[in-house]
């Protein structure tokens, strides 16, 4: 792992919303092809971490590094073009647009038509249900179907790193497992996954490594197995008394 | 949530009864008016007509007069629709009503006035040169209105991005006054006349032997329809159009897709401005007169049309425009005159705004508006 | 936001409906409340003058000037009408000279904006100055409706050179108009006569028996349309429709269709530009109006309208402006003298004909001031009641507009109306003097 260069890195990142200090000296690194997860309670700074990675929030100090280049002042589109994308919390599909249009927007910045066509086919084979509903408005789909479209839309950007914000949030319990299988499947295609998840048990069982964020500070940084075994973590996040 | 459920289930409040009364009253007025209209078309001397017209028989409309009203309503409505698109698009993307949009339309009309007179002086406003001259004028008007809208966005609205939506709304009223007075300063307060159109454009021509229309009205309807089609194609079929719709739904996710939100907003203003510019020059060609306040009333009417059609919905804006134009032109004579209202034509503005009230009472989201869930608008 | 929007839209539409339906007629002519604000003059004055001092007196100290005012539409769309009016006042003051050795000042020309709001605002400014005796104005009847009550209540007088609405004076049958106020006079004609002239012309000269009229809700246009309709009916004709347009309307097809339903032989629309442009342009295209004779009044008898192609073939009524060698008895000037002086000073001919009426109005006022004033030592004392008394008694006064007689309700005009036929938009000067019908009561 350490012989490779990280795709995306946080170096001593601090962010503020007005006077409120959100992220405090955060260091992260995401390497090609790995699956990592970020755990933390409410208001611990998880969402801000994602937004900072994508350039929707500008850090007050520290560096966001993409492929060795400092990208603090580059817009989101710059990062998307270079293979970073996200499946947002609650999916946030364009509900009034058709399923196909949602997928096409995922590939908004791509110019390789053939590649886009190929990726569309790949998504159809991955989610046959999606193919049946291409012309339907995305808002009319069921929760599970929407989750598929959201993932498909992200995959259409041909990402190297896929950020996932609470992928199992708002899904029926029966769907949660399927959902993680899908994530696993995407991961197996060689896409690095950075997952922010409440369901720490499930997330850590899939991930290679993980971080724990507490009031904006990284308090734990270890392999998934080690984290699963960490008694303190088990107590506070894994729901064990 | 629970409160809302309870309100629905519980007995009606006084306000509900009032609204119900308004709905019933307006709808029965329309029903009675229509009945009276048909009755007097069949028998101008029926008892009701004699009663409502002070003992005299009513005057019936001939088929040609009736068609003339439809045509004028349609051409007027087409222009309302073109302007309404701009209101609706900006509302869709930024969530506020750009009240200065009527001035963008007026700027188009004034540009047309300048162009047409210059071309007329040079002898291009007649004969074989007329068609290219008009096309060129339409192009210039479109561009000038487009530029006006874009500059407006850049100077007045972008600095306010992120502030409560009431603030750009109030600002837009200021922008409207500014543009109106700037035009008065530049061109004076009087009416400005367009040169005469060639005869072939003013003459009535038969359309499939069904209806006689002045050439210029055909031009207005056709150009408006083409523009609307082009806009529909742009929004529904092109990459930029998709981006625009995406931005209007969710700016954050749109930027996550790599869409440049600022540029898309500028595009929205530009396209809306272009439509208003086309409406402006069509208005000028049809009525051959513009004045600094030309944008006010059509602007308000177009806003009404956008709300009637369902604000934020482009098809609705077009349909709302045509519905409003038609109602304005037909209702005074088909509903009010048969009821014995004197000087019914004076009430066309009242008709337009009553239509708005009626639609808001019966379908508050407008004819084609979608009911947005709270999640959508959170 | 959605709620806010709905509310906004509802509010907006309600107000629009209200505005569209509303035909405001706020007239308060409470003559009873005339108050004496100046100390009623000591009754032992020896100098003979008009007036009993009941409305107060104005004292002009030696070295000061007698104050009158001009209130005309000098900006905006109707400036073509108001500017010559104001200049008429200026020339009359200059030609008149002095009153008992005192100079006359009209101050700065005030603007009535041709609207009720403008008239009211300007009148408030005027009545705030207690030295002012009288006002020459307004240009527009709508402005006079709001200004006259204030002027009247302040015991001043107001003489208009171009108001023509019957409501401002009387119905000529001895009944005060709904907007009549004591102290209001005018040298312009009463539109009852213009309406009668047009009716007579259509019925007797053109031989047409059906007619319709369109106004725009303005007191001037509505008054004239109604006067025409009443006179036409009285002559035996049938008035098929009287209806209105809004001043901002552009698409006239619906209103013209309403008119066309009854197929009138003549259509009289005494309105203004730009609405008049659209009526004249669109009428021939409406089925049923192809052969209808179009007629308008002095509101459209302006160069901007006559130059339009669509105005060709129309007839226009208006005051008889063939002033020629008519002489104003107060200054001894003729209309031709005036026109020469006007051209020399302003480099153009007057853009509307009511300069003559304004000139005569001014000399009438100055004569009245002269007759109602006396010297108290070095001070000129003007009796406000006397000014009105004098104006009420004006008979056979020779003015630029002809012979002036004031009736009990302030109508002083010569009431001579002419109708012209407009043949060519390329030669409007010929049209203006192409009189085809003359009318005098």
């Amino acid at each position: 792992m350490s012989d490779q260069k990280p795709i995306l890195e946080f170096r001593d990142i601090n962010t503020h919303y007005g006077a409120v200090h959100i992220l405090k000296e955060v260091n992260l690194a995401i390497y090609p092809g790995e699956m990592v997860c970020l755990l933390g309670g409410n208001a611990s700074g998880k969402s801000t971490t994602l937004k900072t990675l994508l350039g929707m929030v500008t850090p007050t100090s520290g560096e966001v590094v993409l492929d060795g280049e400092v990208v603090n002042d580059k817009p989101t589109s710059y990062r998307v073009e270079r293979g970073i994308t996200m499946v947002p919390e609650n999916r946030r599909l364009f509900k009034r647009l058709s399923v196909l249009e949602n997928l096409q927007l995922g590939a908004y910045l791509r110019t390789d038509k053939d590649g886009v066509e190929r990726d569309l086919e790949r998504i159809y084979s991955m989610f046959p249900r999606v193919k049946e509903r291409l012309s339907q408005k995305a808002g009319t789909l069921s929760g599970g179907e929407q989750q598929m479209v959201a993932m498909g839309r992200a995959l259409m950007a041909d990402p190297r790193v896929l950020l996932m914000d609470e992928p199992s949030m708002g899904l029926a319990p029966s769907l949660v497992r399927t959902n993680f299988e899908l994530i696993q499947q995407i991961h197996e295609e060689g896409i690095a996954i950075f997952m922010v998840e409440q369901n720490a048990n499930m997330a850590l069982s899939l991930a290679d490594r993980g971080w724990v964020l507490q009031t904006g500070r990284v308090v734990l940084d270890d392999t998934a197995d080690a984290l699963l075994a960490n008694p303190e973590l088990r107590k506070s996040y894994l729901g064990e008394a | 949530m629970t409160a809302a459920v309870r309100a629905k289930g519980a007995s009606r409040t006084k306000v509900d009864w009032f609204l119900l009364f308004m709905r019933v009253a307006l709808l029965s007025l329309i029903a009675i008016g229509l009945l009276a209209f048909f009755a007097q078309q069949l028998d101008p001397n029926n008892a009701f007509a004699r009663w409502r017209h002070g003992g005299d028989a009513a005057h019936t409309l001939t088929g040609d007069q009736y068609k003339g009203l439809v045509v004028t309503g349609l051409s007027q409505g087409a222009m309302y629709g073109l302007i309404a698109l701009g209101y609706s698009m900006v509302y869709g993307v930024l969530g506020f009503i750009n009240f200065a949009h009527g001035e963008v339309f007026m700027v188009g009309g004034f540009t047309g006035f300048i162009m047409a007179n210059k071309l007329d002086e040079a002898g291009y406003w007649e004969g074989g040169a007329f068609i290219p001259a008009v096309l060129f004028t339409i192009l210039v008007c479109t561009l000038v209105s487009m530029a006006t809208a874009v500059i407006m966005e850049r100077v007045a609205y972008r600095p306010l991005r992120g502030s409560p939506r009431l603030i750009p709304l109030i600002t837009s009223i200021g922008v409207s006054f500014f543009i109106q007075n700037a035009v008065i300063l530049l061109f004076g307060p009087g009416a400005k006349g367009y040169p005469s159109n060639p005869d072939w454009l003013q003459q009535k021509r038969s359309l499939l032997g069904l209806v006689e229309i002045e050439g210029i009205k055909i031009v207005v309807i056709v150009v408006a329809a083409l523009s609307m089609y082009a806009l529909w194609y742009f929004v529904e079929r092109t990459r930029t159009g998709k981006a625009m719709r995406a931005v209007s739904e969710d700016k954050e996710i749109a930027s996550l897709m790599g869409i440049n939100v600022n540029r898309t907003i500028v595009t929205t203003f530009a396209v809306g401005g272009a439509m208003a510019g086309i409406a402006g020059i069509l208005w000028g060609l049809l009525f051959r007169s513009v004045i600094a306040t030309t944008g006010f009333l059509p602007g308000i009417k177009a806003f009404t049309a956008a709300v009637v059609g369902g604000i934020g919905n482009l098809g609705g804006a077009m349909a709302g425009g045509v519905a409003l134009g038609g109602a304005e032109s037909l209702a005074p004579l088909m509903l009010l005159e048969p009821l014995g209202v004197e000087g019914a034509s004076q009430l066309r503005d009242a008709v337009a705004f009553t239509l708005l009230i009626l639609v808001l009472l019966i379908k508050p989201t407008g004819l084609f508006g979608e009911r947005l869930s709270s999640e959508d608008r959170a | 936001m959605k709620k806010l929007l709905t509310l906004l839209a509802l509010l907006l539409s309600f107000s629009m409906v209200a505005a569209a339906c509303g035909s405001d007629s706020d007239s308060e002519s409470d003559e009873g409340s005339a108050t004496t604000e100046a100390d009623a003059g000591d009754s032992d004055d020896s100098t003979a003058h008009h007036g009993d001092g009941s409305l107060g007196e104005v004292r002009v100290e030696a070295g000061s000037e007698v104050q009158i005012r001009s209130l005309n539409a000098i900006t905006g769309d109707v400036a073509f009408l108001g500017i010559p009016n104001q200049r008429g006042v200026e020339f009359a003051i200059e030609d008149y000279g002095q009153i008992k050795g005192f100079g006359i000042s009209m101050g700065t020309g005030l603007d009535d904006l041709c609207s009720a709001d403008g008239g009211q605002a300007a009148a408030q400014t005027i009545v705030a100055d207690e030295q002012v005796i009288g006002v020459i104005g307004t240009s527009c009847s709508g402005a006079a409706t709001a200004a006259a009550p204030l002027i009247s209540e302040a015991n001043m007088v107001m003489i208009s050179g171009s108001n023509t609405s019957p409501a401002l004076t009387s119905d000529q049958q001895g009944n005060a108009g709904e907007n009549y106020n004591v102290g209001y006079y005018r040298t312009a004609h009463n539109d009852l006569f213009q309406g009668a002239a047009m009716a007579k012309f259509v019925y007797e000269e053109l031989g047409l028996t059906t007619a319709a009229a369109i106004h725009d809700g303005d007191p001037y246009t509505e008054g004239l349309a109604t006067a025409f309709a009443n006179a036409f009916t009285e002559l035996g004709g049938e008035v098929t429709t009287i209806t209105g347009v809004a001043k901002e309307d552009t698409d006239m097809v619906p209103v013209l269709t309403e008119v066309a339903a009854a197929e009138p032989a003549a259509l009289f629309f005494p309105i203004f530009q730009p609405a008049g442009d659209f009526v004249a342009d669109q009428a021939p295209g409406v089925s049923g109006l192809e052969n209808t004779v179009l007629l308008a009044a002095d509101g459209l008898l302006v160069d901007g309208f006559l130059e339009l192609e669509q105005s060709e073939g129309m007839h226009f009524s208006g005051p008889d402006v063939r002033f020629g060698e008519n002489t104003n008895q107060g200054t001894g000037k003729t209309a031709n003298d005036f026109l020469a002086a006007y051209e020399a000073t302003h480099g153009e001919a007057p853009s509307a004909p009511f300069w003559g009426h304004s000139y005569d109005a001014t000399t009438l006022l100055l004569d009245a001031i002269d007759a109602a004033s006396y010297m108290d030592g070095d001070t000129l004392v003007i009796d406000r009641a006397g000014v009105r008394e004098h104006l009420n008694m004006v008979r056979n006064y020779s003015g630029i507009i002809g012979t002036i007689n004031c009736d009990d309700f302030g109508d002083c005009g010569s009431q001579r109306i002419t109708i012209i036929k407009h043949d060519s938009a390329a030669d409007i000067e010929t049209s203006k003097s192409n009189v085809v019908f003359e009318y005098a009561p």
Side-chain angles (χ1 to χ4, degrees), chain B residues 64-109:
Chain B
D64 280 346
Q65 289 168 345
Y66 181 74
K67 287 175 194 162
L69 287 178
V70 172
V71 168
T72 199
L74 203 58
S75 55
Q76 189 85 21
M79 289 185 287
Y80 288 159
L82 280 177
I83 310 170
L85 288 168
Y87 281 101
S88 225
M89 290 171 78
V90 168
Y91 180 82
V93 168
L94 289 178
F96 80 93
I97 302 295
N98 175 17
F99 274 112
H101 189 62
E103 309 321 321
V104 177
F105 156 77
M106 179 270 287
V107 166

Side-chain angles (χ1 to χ4, degrees), chain B residues 19-35:
Chain B
L19 292 179
L20 183 71
F21 167 76
M22 291 278 291
R23 285 182 202 122
V24 172
L26 280 173
L27 288 177
S28 6
L29 182 79
I30 292 174
I32 298 172
L34 272 179
L35 276 177

Side-chain angles (χ1 to χ4, degrees), chain B residues 261-301:
Chain B
V261 173
N262 265 336
R263 197 189 303 150
T264 308
I265 291 174
V266 170
T267 311
T268 307
F269 272 88
V271 174
M275 292 294 137
I278 293 171
I281 173 69
L282 291 179
W283 187 277
L285 289 174
L286 181 58
F287 297 122
R288 300 208 306 285
S289 171
V290 285
I291 188 165
T293 49
T294 289
F296 178 71
L297 203 58
I300 297 280
K301 294 278 180 67

Side-chain angles (χ1 to χ4, degrees), chain C residues 394-418:
Chain C
V394 169
R395 297 290 180 276
N396 291 320
Y397 187 95
S398 163
I400 283 184
I401 62 168
T403 306
I404 294 173
N405 293 291
C406 290
D407 72 10
D408 293 345
F409 297 96
D411 260 325
C412 307
S414 74
Q415 317 297 6
R416 297 175 62 84
I417 305 293
T418 53

Side-chain angles (χ1 to χ4, degrees), chain C residues 14 37-38 139 178 187-188 268-269 271 278 287 334 354 404 432:
Chain C
F14 271 122
E37 83 278 4
S139 295
E178 63 173 308
T187 48
F268 180 48
F269 52 104
I271 56 178
F278 302 129
S287 165
T334 66
F354 293 101
I404 294 173
K432 282 183 191 169

Side-chain angles (χ1 to χ4, degrees), chain C residues 194-382:
Chain C
Q194 184 169 190
M198 190 46 107
K200 203 164 180 218
F201 172 70
V202 172
Y203 192 78
E204 290 176 2
E205 282 291 307
L206 299 180
L208 305 176
T209 55
T210 55
I214 296 179
H215 61 81
D216 68 8
D218 183 273
Y220 155 75
T221 66
E222 197 167 354
L224 186 46
T226 314
F228 166 78
N230 292 342
F232 195 71
T233 313
E234 215 160 275
L235 288 170
E238 186 202 349
V239 175
T240 55
T241 320
I242 305 183
T243 187
V245 295
K247 287 183 184 181
E248 310 81 29
D249 272 359
T250 42
D251 182 6
M252 301 298 178
V253 173
V255 67
L256 289 169
T257 305
E258 183 188 349
V259 169
E263 297 189 21
L267 171 60
F268 180 48
F269 52 104
I271 56 178
F272 294 99
Q273 285 189 294
D277 305 359
F278 302 129
V279 171
D281 188 33
Q282 295 167 27
V286 172
S287 165
L289 293 181
E290 293 91 343
N291 301 314
T292 302
V293 175
L294 300 182
L295 313 134
D298 44 354
L300 283 174
L301 189 48
V302 294
D303 295 0
F305 185 72
L306 297 175
E307 282 162 2
L308 299 176
E309 262 176 39
Q310 61 255 36
S311 68
E312 281 183 5
M314 285 180 60
H315 292 90
F316 297 84
S317 63
D320 188 347
V321 293
R322 295 168 298 172
F323 301 144
E325 291 302 315
N326 289 352
T327 308
N328 181 291
Q329 71 181 54
T331 62
K333 300 277 180 179
T334 66
N336 290 336
D337 294 340
F338 177 93
L339 287 172
Y342 192 102
E343 289 241 28
T345 311
H346 299 294
E348 57 178 16
S351 47
F354 293 101
W355 53 268
H357 304 75
S358 296
Y359 187 97
D360 288 344
T362 312
T363 62
L364 279 177
L365 174 62
L366 298 178
D367 270 2
I369 293 173
D370 194 8
S373 60
Y374 59 94
M375 296 301 297
D376 179 13
D378 281 348
T379 305
L380 180 71
V381 183
I382 304 163

Side-chain angles (χ1 to χ4, degrees), chain A residues 31-61:
Chain A
Y31 291 87
E34 67 170 348
M35 186 187 298
V36 289
C37 66
L38 181 67
L39 307 173
N42 284 334
S44 58
K46 290 176 298 180
S47 293
T48 309
T49 305
L50 287 171
K51 285 183 177 170
T52 312
L53 280 169
L54 278 163
M56 293 165 169
V57 170
T58 311
T60 33
S61 71

